[in-house]
């Protein structure tokens, strides 16, 4: 970790005791502005710990989302509400130290490897149960909104927000403009406001032989319509080549039946399709923005360039959904 080793050692000492030593460490891929490390450590009593340490580099400016301290607080609340998450050992404005949950997060392995063959048929129903538990969490557990307004109990209009972001790109995308108009004209009524995870999908779930072991990446959590989470899970990009619509591992019926049973709330199929379409549009705008980061020199990256090439895929997906 180079110059960050002192910070790391201080974090571990506060969490596990002075004299804690790191026996192995590797930086995990992903995250252009935030570091994620897998660490093996031994505390002063001789007990071994498998850990994940996430760090904001010194001097970095807060990005979109609730920040690491807010994310840690929300994960603790999620655990208290029965949501499977890593156990938080320590957290601050620029770090989270948590237990490392055994399992796989790479979607293509989850969808194809024999090790997960028994788990795959159960995943859609498990996601329904977990999302119901997330949506039962009290809004008060969300970090405070800026200013005197208190918790983020009143969500902004997500469609308007993504329209504004598309406008800021300064690029013509007729399919996205069409989708925005269609979605604005067919917006379903919203009767519930809940804690929304914001990025609940295949790739942010730790999967073991028995199914979902943990839900990761809570930084985009906010107050909103709970169907946003269900629709995002169904976006085609998160199927990774599988024909199954829910994360590539299940069908709509399995997800909806499980969610309705666990939450006590009916899922309107048309509303779910609206939120799935919104999710595809959102991903398309994200692809444009990621490509612009590369092309404008903000972060030269083959990965960002490759994501930019997926804009046309998203436009095709939208046209099929809008038929």
């Amino acid at each position: 970790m180079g110059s960050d080793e002192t910070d790391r050692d201080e974090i571990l000492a506060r969490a596990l005791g002075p004299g804690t030593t790191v026996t192995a460490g590797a930086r995990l891929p992903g995250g252009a502005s935030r570091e994620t490390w897998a660490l093996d450590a031994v505390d002063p009593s001789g007990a071994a710990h498998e850990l994940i340490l996430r760090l904001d580099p010194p001097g970095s400016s807060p990005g979109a989302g609730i920040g690491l301290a807010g994310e840690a607080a929300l994960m603790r609340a999620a655990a208290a509400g029965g949501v499977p998450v890593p156990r938080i050992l320590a957290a601050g404005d620029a770090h989270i130290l948590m237990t490392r949950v055994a399992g796989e997060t790479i979607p293509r392995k989850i969808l194809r490897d024999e090790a997960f063959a028994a788990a795959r048929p159960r995943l859609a129903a498990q996601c329904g149960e977990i999302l119901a538990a997330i949506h039962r969490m009290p809004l008060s557990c969300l970090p405070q909104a800026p200013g005197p307004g208190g918790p983020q109990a009143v969500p902004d209009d997500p469609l308007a927000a993504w329209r504004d972001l598309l406008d800021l790109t300064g690029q013509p995308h007729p399919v996205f403009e069409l989708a925005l108009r269609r979605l604005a004209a067919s917006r379903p009524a919203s009767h519930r406001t809940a804690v929304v995870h914001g990025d609940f999908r295949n790739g942010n779930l730790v999967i073991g032989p028995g199914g979902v072991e943990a839900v990761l990446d809570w930084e985009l959590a906010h107050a909103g319509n709970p169907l946003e989470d269900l629709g995002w899970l169904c976006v085609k990009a998160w199927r990774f080549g599988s024909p199954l619509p829910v994360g590539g591992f299940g069908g709509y019926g399995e997800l909806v039946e499980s969610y309705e049973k666990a939450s006590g709330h009916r899922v309107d199929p048309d509303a779910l399709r609206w939120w799935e379409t919104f999710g595809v549009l959102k991903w398309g705008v994200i692809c444009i923005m990621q490509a612009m980061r590369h092309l404008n020199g903000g972060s030269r990256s083959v990965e960002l360039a490759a994501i930019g090439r997926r804009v046309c895929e998203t436009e095709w997906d939208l046209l099929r959904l809008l038929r």
Side-chain angles (χ1 to χ4, degrees):
M1 296 179 66
S3 61
D4 293 329
E5 286 185 359
T6 301
D7 291 340
R8 177 198 69 186
D9 292 342
E10 290 177 355
I11 293 167
L12 291 174
R14 289 196 299 268
L16 302 174
T20 297
T21 59
V22 174
T23 58
R27 184 172 178 177
L28 302 180
S33 61
R34 181 170 287 164
E35 298 180 8
T36 301
W37 291 83
L39 304 174
D40 294 339
V42 177
D43 68 24
S45 73
H49 302 268
E50 295 183 336
L51 308 168
I52 293 290
L53 176 62
R54 300 177 66 198
L55 293 169
D56 279 335
S60 62
S61 59
I66 60 178
L68 287 175
E71 189 175 348
L74 194 57
M75 289 173 69
R76 288 186 172 116
V83 180
V85 291
R87 185 164 64 92
I88 304 298
L89 300 178
D93 290 338
H95 74 274
I96 297 179
L97 181 68
M98 67 187 87
T99 56
R100 190 162 79 240
V101 178
E104 184 58 75
T105 60
I106 299 175
R108 294 190 183 279
K109 292 185 177 181
I110 293 166
L111 297 177
R112 291 165 175 77
D113 284 7
E114 184 61 28
F116 306 103
R120 282 192 288 270
R122 298 196 289 266
L123 293 178
Q126 289 179 338
C127 286
E129 294 171 356
I130 293 168
L131 284 171
I134 292 173
H135 299 158
R136 283 195 298 269
M137 293 168 59
L139 288 168
S140 59
C141 72
L142 286 167
Q144 296 287 312
Q152 292 178 321
V154 180
D156 294 328
D157 179 357
L159 193 60
W162 287 96
R163 181 191 297 113
D164 291 344
L165 285 172
L166 179 62
D167 289 344
L168 287 173
T169 68
Q171 297 184 7
H173 286 278
V175 173
F176 294 159
E177 296 288 350
L178 173 65
L180 283 163
R181 292 185 186 130
R182 290 276 189 92
L183 289 170
S186 61
R187 188 194 303 262
S190 178
H191 303 293
R192 295 172 62 203
T193 297
V195 172
V196 173
H197 178 276
D199 201 11
F200 191 99
R201 59 177 176 85
N202 195 1
N204 285 339
L205 306 173
V206 179
I207 306 298
V212 181
E213 299 292 342
V215 181
L216 307 177
D217 293 343
W218 290 73
E219 62 263 30
L220 299 181
H222 59 277
N225 189 316
L227 290 187
E228 180 181 344
D229 275 337
L230 276 76
W232 186 243
L233 178 60
C234 299
V235 165
K236 190 177 179 183
W238 315 134
R239 303 173 192 175
F240 297 92
S242 168
L244 298 175
V246 179
F249 44 63
Y252 293 112
E254 302 162 68
L255 173 69
V256 169
E257 181 181 0
S258 173
Y259 181 82
E260 289 181 337
K261 182 177 179 180
S263 70
H265 293 276
R266 179 180 174 273
V267 174
D268 175 30
D270 291 334
L272 177 58
R273 185 176 180 84
W274 191 96
W275 282 104
E276 179 184 343
T277 306
F278 168 82
V280 174
L281 170 67
K282 172 181 166 182
W283 173 237
V285 177
I286 290 172
C287 289
I288 299 171
M289 295 169 65
Q290 297 290 62
M292 290 180 68
R293 286 178 60 198
H294 168 75
L295 294 171
N296 295 340
S299 179
R300 303 293 288 181
S301 163
V302 172
E303 181 182 5
L304 294 178
I307 291 174
R309 288 175 61 87
R310 301 192 66 182
V311 173
C312 57
E313 293 179 10
T314 309
E315 290 172 332
W316 177 249
D317 293 340
L318 273 173
L319 288 173
R320 296 187 61 169
L321 283 166
L322 293 171
R323 274 191 310 194

